[in-house]
Amino acid sequence: QLQLQESGPGLVKPSETLSLTCSVSGGTISSNSAYWGWIRQSPGKGLEWIGSIYYSGITYYNPSLRSRLTISVDTFKNQFSLKLRSLTAADTAVYYCAGDRSGFINILDPWGQGTLVTVSS
Amino acid sequence: SSELTQDPTVSVALGQTVRITCQGDSLRTYFASWYQQKPGQAPVLVIYDKNNRPSGIPDRFSGSNSGNTASLTITGAQAEDEADYYCNSRDRSGNLVVFGGGTKLTVL
């Protein structure tokens, strides 16, 4: 059974860079046609797609975050990662990783449990 | 990118049928997926490819599509179905993901 788990700091200072990792177990991150995505949810708000990476390494980013965002994959560690630069308080959110083995990018299943990231000095 | 619009709140009497809708231009081309999120929990996929259910999702959940509108129907709503529901789809380019704003379902 595929499972995903986010890890990273819970508190980051404004202007710094957020680095999160999603560890994949129960399956290989190199699966044909698989996408691996990041989604966030600000307190009390809805879901916002951050971006996804295809199993081949091609990335797709939310246009509103593209200038600050890098998503990468480490096939040896069976992980994928997010780096979000120049943080502000508006980046405070629960960050989720999710897998999509359908090949359609938007069929997100399963999800990690999420990790709360607070941007504050 | 395109937008997906959902009603913020919907209510249903216990055991009755409720439809939650999602509107957007991209739905004329791409199917919606639907996610259930309970407080403090990660979202769970309940419908994909218009009307497919992942393993473990009760068959009272179903999906449909018409024009620019996707719908999630719960037939015989249960107390445990009270949750936030989000639709998502691809944008017009087919390469980006968009989410609806979410619908809070109350089971009375």
Side-chain angles (χ1 to χ4, degrees):
Chain A
Q1 180 180 356
L2 191 68
Q3 292 186 311
L4 284 70
Q5 177 69 57
E6 306 88 351
S7 59
L11 180 65
V12 188
K13 289 181 168 54
S15 80
E16 293 189 343
T17 295
L18 171 65
S19 294
L20 294 177
T21 296
C22 183
S23 298
V24 179
S25 60
T28 174
I29 204 165
S30 301
S31 296
N32 280 357
S33 303
Y35 289 89
W36 306 97
W38 289 97
I39 305 94
R40 71 181 182 179
Q41 186 171 35
S42 300
K45 302 297 185 183
L47 301 172
E48 179 183 25
W49 176 72
I50 297 171
S52 298
I53 187 164
Y54 196 43
Y55 78 103
S56 61
I58 301 173
T59 52
Y60 303 91
Y61 295 155
N62 185 322
S64 68
L65 298 171
R66 181 176 292 137
S67 64
R68 302 191 289 132
L69 180 63
T70 301
I71 296 176
S72 60
V73 65
D74 186 333
T75 55
F76 295 104
K77 293 183 178 180
N78 222 34
Q79 296 174 337
F80 62 105
S81 299
L82 169 151
K83 289 189 186 300
L84 187 62
R85 298 174 289 278
S86 304
L87 294 175
T88 71
D91 295 309
T92 293
V94 175
Y95 285 75
Y96 297 99
C97 61
D100 176 352
R101 292 164 289 174
S102 71
F104 291 104
I105 202 175
N106 69 299
I107 302 177
L108 299 166
D109 179 47
W111 294 56
Q113 66 184 25
T115 186
L116 175 62
V117 174
T118 301
V119 181
S120 174
S121 55
Chain B
S1 64
S2 63
E3 296 181 346
L4 298 178
T5 301
Q6 298 182 240
D7 291 329
T9 60
V10 171
S11 61
V12 61
L14 184 67
Q16 296 303 301
T17 295
V18 62
R19 176 174 293 181
I20 298 170
T21 60
C22 174
Q23 288 187 305
D25 287 342
S26 66
L27 297 178
R28 297 184 186 278
T29 307
Y30 302 110
F31 290 134
S33 297
W34 290 93
Y35 303 85
Q36 177 193 68
Q37 186 181 35
K38 297 181 179 180
Q41 297 183 18
V44 172
L45 178 69
V46 293
I47 290 289
Y48 65 98
D49 265 0
K50 189 172 77 172
N51 191 22
N52 287 300
R53 283 176 288 106
S55 174
I57 301 302
D59 61 6
R60 63 178 179 271
F61 290 88
S62 63
S64 61
N65 215 76
S66 178
N68 72 336
T69 301
S71 300
L72 172 71
T73 299
I74 307 174
T75 303
Q78 302 299 303
E80 61 263 33
D81 299 333
E82 187 163 287
D84 294 327
Y85 290 85
Y86 295 90
C87 62
N88 83 352
S89 185
R90 291 184 274 178
D91 77 335
R92 293 178 186 179
S93 75
N95 292 324
L96 306 181
V97 178
V98 289
F99 278 96
T103 297
K104 181 177 182 59
L105 176 66
T106 300
V107 180
L108 304 172

